[in-house]
Amino acid sequence: MSIALEKTLSLILLIGIGVLLQQKFQSEDQKKGLKTLILTLALPAMIFVALMKIEINPDLLFLPVLALGFNLVMMYLTRFSMPAFGIKKDSAEMRTLALLVPSLAPGLTCFPFVAQYLGDDLLAWSALADIGNKIFVLILAYMLAMSWYYKTQQLPARSNRQKIKELLLAMLSEPINVVILAAIILLSFGLHMDDLPGFLSASILMLKDVMTPLVLLFIGIAVMFKWSQIKTIFALLVFRAGFTFLLSGLFLWLIPGLPFASALLVVVFPQSAVSFWPFAHMSAIRKMEINSGSSKATFDLDLGINVLAVSMPLSTLMILGVFTSGNLWVVPTNVLILGASLVGLSLAPTAVKLLAANRKTMISEEEGSYRDLEFKKMEK
């Protein structure tokens, strides 16, 4: 068995173990404790280590811009396309998906395979591109979530100065943002992970190593399977993967002659699973709603955790599939055909329902016309 396949199976196995542990974590306080551990220690440590390894090359600064552009395109596409999957406009479900679907979590579902198949140089490119994605999930998604919260709860409008102040205070209260700021300051002085005191770097690396298993176990523990929801989520994520392949194929077609490894990175990086961070923003907002005694939820947290649970194994399988048959997916035409096929597959159930409804309407109209004709004959 290949190392990449073993990695995929190990991720899925950890989620499964989390599902089996649900009986041990029935209390919301227990789940909250595990989530707090992830958000305040493990995840900040992982991101700090990743940032401290980056060697900034001015020629590669377009990578975060491309990643951020992808996030924004996917956000508008998601909001536009959700009615096709039965999601009502301006509903809690719509707001949840509009934040989650455009986000990326390459650290769990892309970076391990990039390191295995493409090497450290392309892994550094991926980490640099992820900075653009981090701007979306940490800043833009937070601002959008707060905007929806104030609108949904019909809270008094705030001045721009107040919004900026609240945003800065909220960001500084998040450990992840503190470590990003600290990493940027250290990098500006030319310091990297190896330059830190040994005891400090060793502690950070140990915290970073527990991030992946903790997140996977938490997803398994917190997931609440609603099979009607799972079907919709799977169709929507297949649509996301298909449209992403279309964007990658278009990019390869517009910029021909990319090196093999770079072309594969263009295809696999956007296939990363959805990020945990938008869900963290939603959880914080739900806590604010509970504290204020509001019964109206801005987001659907059960839907959000199910999206995370389905997205991770689906994305890892997509990425693994591309890498194991890589020669096919550096050809723009092949990538475009795959993307169009997945989009068509995801929309097929909706199309079948529409055709069935139209046929039923036509039959009813024909029967009505036939009855009118018979009635007129009887009158004569």
Side-chain angles (χ1 to χ4, degrees):
M1 185 182 296
S2 69
I3 295 176
L5 182 57
E6 287 183 357
K7 183 72 175 180
T8 301
L9 294 177
S10 68
L11 294 176
I12 297 173
L13 178 60
L14 284 173
I15 294 177
I17 292 173
V19 173
L20 295 176
L21 289 174
Q22 284 185 352
Q23 296 298 321
K24 300 291 185 180
F25 288 82
Q26 293 184 350
S27 168
E28 288 299 321
D29 289 337
Q30 291 175 317
K31 295 178 183 178
K32 181 181 176 182
L34 181 57
K35 183 169 66 175
T36 301
L37 185 63
I38 292 170
L39 296 181
T40 58
L41 287 176
L43 187 56
M46 184 177 191
I47 291 179
F48 181 80
V49 171
L51 288 174
M52 291 296 288
K53 290 181 179 180
I54 290 177
E55 295 287 347
I56 301 297
N57 184 342
D59 295 335
L60 298 177
L61 292 180
F62 72 95
L63 291 173
V65 176
L66 284 177
L68 180 58
F70 168 82
N71 295 136
L72 296 175
V73 169
M74 290 301 296
M75 183 180 71
Y76 285 104
L77 173 73
T78 302
R79 296 182 67 179
F80 174 77
S81 61
M82 277 189 291
F85 298 92
I87 306 297
K88 295 180 180 179
K89 185 179 179 181
D90 293 331
S91 63
E93 292 81 5
M94 182 278 291
R95 291 186 286 269
T96 301
L97 294 171
L99 282 188
L100 282 173
V101 171
S103 65
L104 297 172
L108 291 179
T109 51
C110 182
F111 287 2
F113 301 112
V114 170
Q116 175 68 30
Y117 284 96
L118 303 181
D120 290 340
D121 288 343
L122 273 298
L123 180 60
W125 286 27
S126 302
L128 189 57
D130 191 37
I131 293 176
N133 172 61
K134 287 292 188 293
I135 292 174
F136 176 80
V137 298
L138 293 176
I139 300 176
L140 298 183
Y142 174 81
M143 294 176 67
L144 188 57
M146 289 300 294
S147 174
W148 280 334
Y149 165 67
Y150 274 84
K151 182 179 178 181
T152 303
Q153 303 300 323
Q154 297 180 341
L155 297 175
R158 300 162 298 158
S159 65
N160 290 333
R161 183 177 179 180
Q162 186 179 4
K163 289 179 183 178
I164 294 173
K165 181 180 178 181
E166 288 181 4
L167 175 61
L168 291 176
L169 289 174
M171 290 183 67
L172 290 176
S173 68
E174 294 284 357
I176 178 65
N177 299 325
V178 174
V179 300
I180 288 176
L181 182 61
I184 292 173
I185 293 173
L186 291 173
L187 288 172
S188 67
F189 286 101
L191 299 175
H192 293 82
M193 201 68 189
D194 295 337
D195 300 312
L196 298 178
F199 72 92
L200 180 60
S201 61
S203 298
I204 295 173
L205 288 172
M206 284 189 286
L207 285 173
K208 169 249 183 188
D209 289 339
V210 303
M211 166 63 190
T212 299
L214 278 180
V215 168
L216 296 175
L217 289 171
F218 174 75
I219 289 173
I221 290 168
V223 66
M224 300 295 293
F225 287 113
K226 297 180 180 178
W227 293 111
S228 59
Q229 232 180 41
I230 294 295
K231 290 190 295 183
T232 301
I233 291 169
F234 183 79
L236 186 58
L237 291 178
V238 170
F239 175 80
R240 173 188 188 259
F243 192 82
T244 298
F245 277 126
L246 289 176
L247 290 178
S248 298
L250 181 63
F251 186 88
L252 294 176
W253 180 69
L254 291 174
I255 306 179
L258 283 176
F260 176 80
S262 300
L264 273 183
L265 184 63
V266 168
V267 176
V268 300
F269 183 84
Q271 292 296 329
S272 301
V274 300
S275 173
F276 184 76
W277 265 107
F279 181 79
H281 300 326
M282 297 179 217
S283 299
I285 286 175
R286 185 56 190 152
K287 181 179 179 181
M288 293 165 60
E289 292 168 344
I290 293 173
N291 291 340
S292 65
S294 174
S295 59
K296 190 173 185 180
T298 307
F299 300 101
D300 185 338
L301 296 187
D302 289 343
L303 174 63
I305 200 68
N306 280 333
V307 170
L308 289 170
V310 176
S311 176
M312 195 167 293
L314 180 63
S315 291
T316 51
L317 290 174
M318 288 281 185
I319 292 171
L320 180 61
V322 170
F323 275 132
T324 52
S325 54
N327 291 330
L328 290 172
W329 312 120
V330 295
V331 181
T333 306
N334 294 343
V335 181
L336 290 169
I337 291 174
L338 175 61
S341 301
L342 291 176
V343 169
L345 179 65
S346 65
L347 294 175
T350 302
V352 170
K353 289 180 181 179
L354 288 175
L355 289 174
N358 289 337
R359 184 181 179 187
K360 186 176 180 180
T361 301
M362 290 176 62
I363 292 173
S364 299
E365 290 175 351
E366 289 176 357
E367 289 177 348
S369 300
Y370 177 78
R371 286 195 297 269
D372 291 343
L373 183 61
E374 289 295 319
F375 182 73
K376 290 179 180 179
K377 287 181 179 179
M378 291 175 63
E379 285 183 337
K380 292 180 179 180

Short mmCIF file of all heavy atoms in Angstrom, two decimals, residues 183-218:
data_model
loop_
_atom_site.label_atom_id
_atom_site.label_comp_id
_atom_site.label_asym_id
_atom_site.label_seq_id
_atom_site.Cartn_x
_atom_site.Cartn_y
_atom_site.Cartn_z
N ALA A 183 4.63 35.63 14.26
CA ALA A 183 5.44 35.02 13.20
C ALA A 183 5.88 36.06 12.18
O ALA A 183 7.04 36.06 11.73
CB ALA A 183 4.65 33.91 12.51
N ILE A 184 4.99 36.97 11.82
CA ILE A 184 5.34 38.02 10.86
C ILE A 184 6.44 38.91 11.41
O ILE A 184 7.39 39.29 10.70
CB ILE A 184 4.09 38.84 10.49
CG1 ILE A 184 3.11 37.98 9.68
CG2 ILE A 184 4.47 40.09 9.70
CD1 ILE A 184 1.78 38.65 9.41
N ILE A 185 6.34 39.27 12.70
CA ILE A 185 7.37 40.11 13.32
C ILE A 185 8.73 39.39 13.33
O ILE A 185 9.77 39.98 12.97
CB ILE A 185 6.95 40.49 14.76
CG1 ILE A 185 5.73 41.41 14.72
CG2 ILE A 185 8.11 41.16 15.49
CD1 ILE A 185 5.14 41.71 16.09
N LEU A 186 8.72 38.10 13.69
CA LEU A 186 9.97 37.35 13.72
C LEU A 186 10.57 37.20 12.32
O LEU A 186 11.79 37.34 12.14
CB LEU A 186 9.72 35.97 14.34
CG LEU A 186 9.41 35.95 15.84
CD1 LEU A 186 9.01 34.56 16.29
CD2 LEU A 186 10.61 36.45 16.66
N LEU A 187 9.72 36.93 11.33
CA LEU A 187 10.20 36.79 9.96
C LEU A 187 10.78 38.11 9.45
O LEU A 187 11.74 38.11 8.67
CB LEU A 187 9.07 36.32 9.04
CG LEU A 187 8.62 34.87 9.20
CD1 LEU A 187 7.36 34.60 8.37
CD2 LEU A 187 9.73 33.92 8.77
N SER A 188 10.18 39.22 9.86
CA SER A 188 10.69 40.52 9.42
C SER A 188 12.09 40.79 9.93
O SER A 188 12.85 41.58 9.35
CB SER A 188 9.73 41.64 9.87
OG SER A 188 9.74 41.77 11.28
N PHE A 189 12.48 40.15 11.03
CA PHE A 189 13.83 40.26 11.57
C PHE A 189 14.75 39.14 11.08
O PHE A 189 15.87 38.98 11.55
CB PHE A 189 13.81 40.25 13.11
CG PHE A 189 13.32 41.53 13.73
CD1 PHE A 189 12.02 41.63 14.21
CD2 PHE A 189 14.15 42.63 13.80
CE1 PHE A 189 11.55 42.80 14.77
CE2 PHE A 189 13.69 43.82 14.37
CZ PHE A 189 12.39 43.92 14.85
N GLY A 190 14.25 38.35 10.14
CA GLY A 190 15.06 37.27 9.57
C GLY A 190 15.17 36.05 10.45
O GLY A 190 16.08 35.22 10.26
N LEU A 191 14.27 35.90 11.42
CA LEU A 191 14.31 34.75 12.32
C LEU A 191 13.36 33.66 11.85
O LEU A 191 12.25 33.96 11.40
CB LEU A 191 13.93 35.18 13.75
CG LEU A 191 14.84 36.23 14.40
CD1 LEU A 191 14.28 36.65 15.75
CD2 LEU A 191 16.26 35.68 14.56
N HIS A 192 13.79 32.41 11.94
CA HIS A 192 12.96 31.27 11.56
C HIS A 192 12.90 30.27 12.71
O HIS A 192 13.44 30.53 13.80
CB HIS A 192 13.50 30.62 10.28
CG HIS A 192 13.39 31.49 9.07
ND1 HIS A 192 14.30 32.47 8.78
CD2 HIS A 192 12.44 31.55 8.09
CE1 HIS A 192 13.96 33.10 7.67
NE2 HIS A 192 12.83 32.56 7.24
N MET A 193 12.26 29.14 12.46
CA MET A 193 12.03 28.17 13.53
C MET A 193 13.34 27.70 14.16
O MET A 193 13.44 27.54 15.38
CB MET A 193 11.25 26.97 12.96
CG MET A 193 10.54 26.15 14.00
SD MET A 193 9.17 27.09 14.74
CE MET A 193 8.73 25.97 16.07
N ASP A 194 14.37 27.51 13.35
CA ASP A 194 15.65 27.02 13.86
C ASP A 194 16.36 28.03 14.74
O ASP A 194 17.29 27.67 15.49
CB ASP A 194 16.57 26.63 12.69
CG ASP A 194 16.01 25.46 11.89
OD1 ASP A 194 15.22 24.70 12.47
OD2 ASP A 194 16.36 25.32 10.70
N ASP A 195 15.96 29.31 14.64
CA ASP A 195 16.62 30.35 15.42
C ASP A 195 16.03 30.50 16.82
O ASP A 195 16.59 31.22 17.65
CB ASP A 195 16.52 31.70 14.69
CG ASP A 195 17.19 31.65 13.32
OD1 ASP A 195 18.33 31.16 13.25
OD2 ASP A 195 16.56 32.08 12.34
N LEU A 196 14.91 29.85 17.08
CA LEU A 196 14.29 29.93 18.40
C LEU A 196 15.04 29.04 19.40
O LEU A 196 15.68 28.06 19.00
CB LEU A 196 12.82 29.50 18.32
CG LEU A 196 11.90 30.34 17.44
CD1 LEU A 196 10.50 29.76 17.44
CD2 LEU A 196 11.87 31.80 17.89
N PRO A 197 14.96 29.35 20.69
CA PRO A 197 15.57 28.46 21.69
C PRO A 197 15.04 27.03 21.56
O PRO A 197 13.86 26.83 21.27
CB PRO A 197 15.15 29.09 23.02
CG PRO A 197 14.89 30.53 22.69
CD PRO A 197 14.34 30.55 21.30
N GLY A 198 15.91 26.06 21.78
CA GLY A 198 15.54 24.67 21.56
C GLY A 198 14.33 24.22 22.34
O GLY A 198 13.45 23.53 21.80
N PHE A 199 14.25 24.60 23.62
CA PHE A 199 13.12 24.15 24.44
C PHE A 199 11.81 24.74 23.92
O PHE A 199 10.76 24.08 23.98
CB PHE A 199 13.34 24.55 25.91
CG PHE A 199 13.21 26.02 26.18
CD1 PHE A 199 11.98 26.56 26.57
CD2 PHE A 199 14.29 26.88 26.04
CE1 PHE A 199 11.85 27.91 26.82
CE2 PHE A 199 14.16 28.24 26.29
CZ PHE A 199 12.94 28.76 26.68
N LEU A 200 11.86 25.99 23.41
CA LEU A 200 10.65 26.64 22.91
C LEU A 200 10.17 25.99 21.61
O LEU A 200 8.99 25.67 21.45
CB LEU A 200 10.90 28.14 22.71
CG LEU A 200 9.72 28.96 22.19
CD1 LEU A 200 8.54 28.88 23.15
CD2 LEU A 200 10.14 30.42 22.00
N SER A 201 11.08 25.81 20.66
CA SER A 201 10.71 25.20 19.38
C SER A 201 10.23 23.77 19.58
O SER A 201 9.29 23.32 18.91
CB SER A 201 11.89 25.24 18.41
OG SER A 201 13.00 24.52 18.91
N ALA A 202 10.85 23.02 20.52
CA ALA A 202 10.44 21.64 20.77
C ALA A 202 9.01 21.59 21.31
O ALA A 202 8.20 20.75 20.90
CB ALA A 202 11.40 20.97 21.74
N SER A 203 8.67 22.51 22.22
CA SER A 203 7.32 22.54 22.78
C SER A 203 6.29 22.88 21.71
O SER A 203 5.21 22.27 21.63
CB SER A 203 7.25 23.57 23.91
OG SER A 203 8.12 23.24 24.96
N ILE A 204 6.63 23.87 20.87
CA ILE A 204 5.69 24.27 19.80
C ILE A 204 5.48 23.13 18.82
O ILE A 204 4.35 22.86 18.39
CB ILE A 204 6.23 25.53 19.08
CG1 ILE A 204 6.26 26.71 20.03
CG2 ILE A 204 5.36 25.85 17.86
CD1 ILE A 204 6.93 27.95 19.46
N LEU A 205 6.55 22.42 18.47
CA LEU A 205 6.43 21.30 17.53
C LEU A 205 5.59 20.17 18.11
O LEU A 205 4.81 19.53 17.40
CB LEU A 205 7.82 20.79 17.15
CG LEU A 205 8.64 21.71 16.23
CD1 LEU A 205 10.07 21.19 16.10
CD2 LEU A 205 7.99 21.82 14.86
N MET A 206 5.73 19.92 19.41
CA MET A 206 4.90 18.88 20.04
C MET A 206 3.43 19.26 20.01
O MET A 206 2.56 18.42 19.75
CB MET A 206 5.37 18.63 21.48
CG MET A 206 6.64 17.81 21.57
SD MET A 206 7.04 17.29 23.27
CE MET A 206 7.61 18.83 23.98
N LEU A 207 3.12 20.53 20.28
CA LEU A 207 1.73 20.99 20.19
C LEU A 207 1.21 20.88 18.77
O LEU A 207 0.06 20.49 18.53
CB LEU A 207 1.62 22.43 20.68
CG LEU A 207 1.71 22.67 22.18
CD1 LEU A 207 1.75 24.17 22.48
CD2 LEU A 207 0.52 22.02 22.90
N LYS A 208 2.04 21.24 17.81
CA LYS A 208 1.65 21.19 16.40
C LYS A 208 1.32 19.76 15.96
O LYS A 208 0.38 19.51 15.19
CB LYS A 208 2.77 21.77 15.56
CG LYS A 208 2.63 21.55 14.06
CD LYS A 208 3.69 20.58 13.58
CE LYS A 208 3.62 20.39 12.09
NZ LYS A 208 4.50 19.30 11.61
N ASP A 209 2.06 18.78 16.50
CA ASP A 209 1.86 17.39 16.08
C ASP A 209 0.52 16.80 16.52
O ASP A 209 0.05 15.83 15.93
CB ASP A 209 3.00 16.52 16.61
CG ASP A 209 4.32 16.80 15.90
OD1 ASP A 209 4.28 17.34 14.78
OD2 ASP A 209 5.39 16.51 16.48
N VAL A 210 -0.10 17.38 17.56
CA VAL A 210 -1.37 16.83 18.03
C VAL A 210 -2.56 17.46 17.30
O VAL A 210 -3.70 17.04 17.50
CB VAL A 210 -1.57 17.01 19.55
CG1 VAL A 210 -0.42 16.38 20.31
CG2 VAL A 210 -1.71 18.48 19.92
N MET A 211 -2.31 18.45 16.43
CA MET A 211 -3.39 19.17 15.77
C MET A 211 -4.25 18.26 14.90
O MET A 211 -5.48 18.21 15.05
CB MET A 211 -2.79 20.30 14.91
CG MET A 211 -3.73 20.92 13.92
SD MET A 211 -5.13 21.72 14.71
CE MET A 211 -6.14 22.05 13.27
N THR A 212 -3.64 17.51 14.00
CA THR A 212 -4.40 16.70 13.06
C THR A 212 -5.27 15.66 13.76
O THR A 212 -6.48 15.59 13.50
CB THR A 212 -3.47 16.01 12.04
OG1 THR A 212 -2.76 17.02 11.31
CG2 THR A 212 -4.25 15.14 11.08
N PRO A 213 -4.72 14.83 14.66
CA PRO A 213 -5.61 13.85 15.32
C PRO A 213 -6.71 14.49 16.15
O PRO A 213 -7.84 13.99 16.18
CB PRO A 213 -4.65 13.03 16.20
CG PRO A 213 -3.40 13.82 16.29
CD PRO A 213 -3.31 14.62 15.05
N LEU A 214 -6.42 15.63 16.81
CA LEU A 214 -7.44 16.27 17.62
C LEU A 214 -8.61 16.77 16.76
O LEU A 214 -9.78 16.59 17.10
CB LEU A 214 -6.85 17.44 18.41
CG LEU A 214 -6.12 17.10 19.71
CD1 LEU A 214 -5.58 18.39 20.36
CD2 LEU A 214 -7.02 16.36 20.69
N VAL A 215 -8.30 17.41 15.63
CA VAL A 215 -9.35 17.93 14.76
C VAL A 215 -10.19 16.78 14.20
O VAL A 215 -11.43 16.84 14.18
CB VAL A 215 -8.75 18.78 13.62
CG1 VAL A 215 -9.80 19.07 12.55
CG2 VAL A 215 -8.21 20.08 14.16
N LEU A 216 -9.54 15.72 13.75
CA LEU A 216 -10.27 14.59 13.17
C LEU A 216 -11.16 13.91 14.22
O LEU A 216 -12.31 13.55 13.93
CB LEU A 216 -9.29 13.59 12.57
CG LEU A 216 -8.47 14.11 11.38
CD1 LEU A 216 -7.45 13.07 10.96
CD2 LEU A 216 -9.36 14.47 10.22
N LEU A 217 -10.63 13.74 15.43
CA LEU A 217 -11.42 13.14 16.49
C LEU A 217 -12.60 14.03 16.86
O LEU A 217 -13.72 13.55 17.07
CB LEU A 217 -10.55 12.88 17.73
CG LEU A 217 -9.52 11.76 17.61
CD1 LEU A 217 -8.60 11.76 18.81
CD2 LEU A 217 -10.21 10.40 17.46
N PHE A 218 -12.36 15.36 16.91
CA PHE A 218 -13.45 16.28 17.23
C PHE A 218 -14.56 16.22 16.20
O PHE A 218 -15.75 16.24 16.53
CB PHE A 218 -12.91 17.70 17.35
CG PHE A 218 -13.99 18.73 17.54
CD1 PHE A 218 -14.63 18.86 18.77
CD2 PHE A 218 -14.39 19.54 16.50
CE1 PHE A 218 -15.64 19.79 18.95
CE2 PHE A 218 -15.40 20.47 16.67
CZ PHE A 218 -16.02 20.61 17.90
#
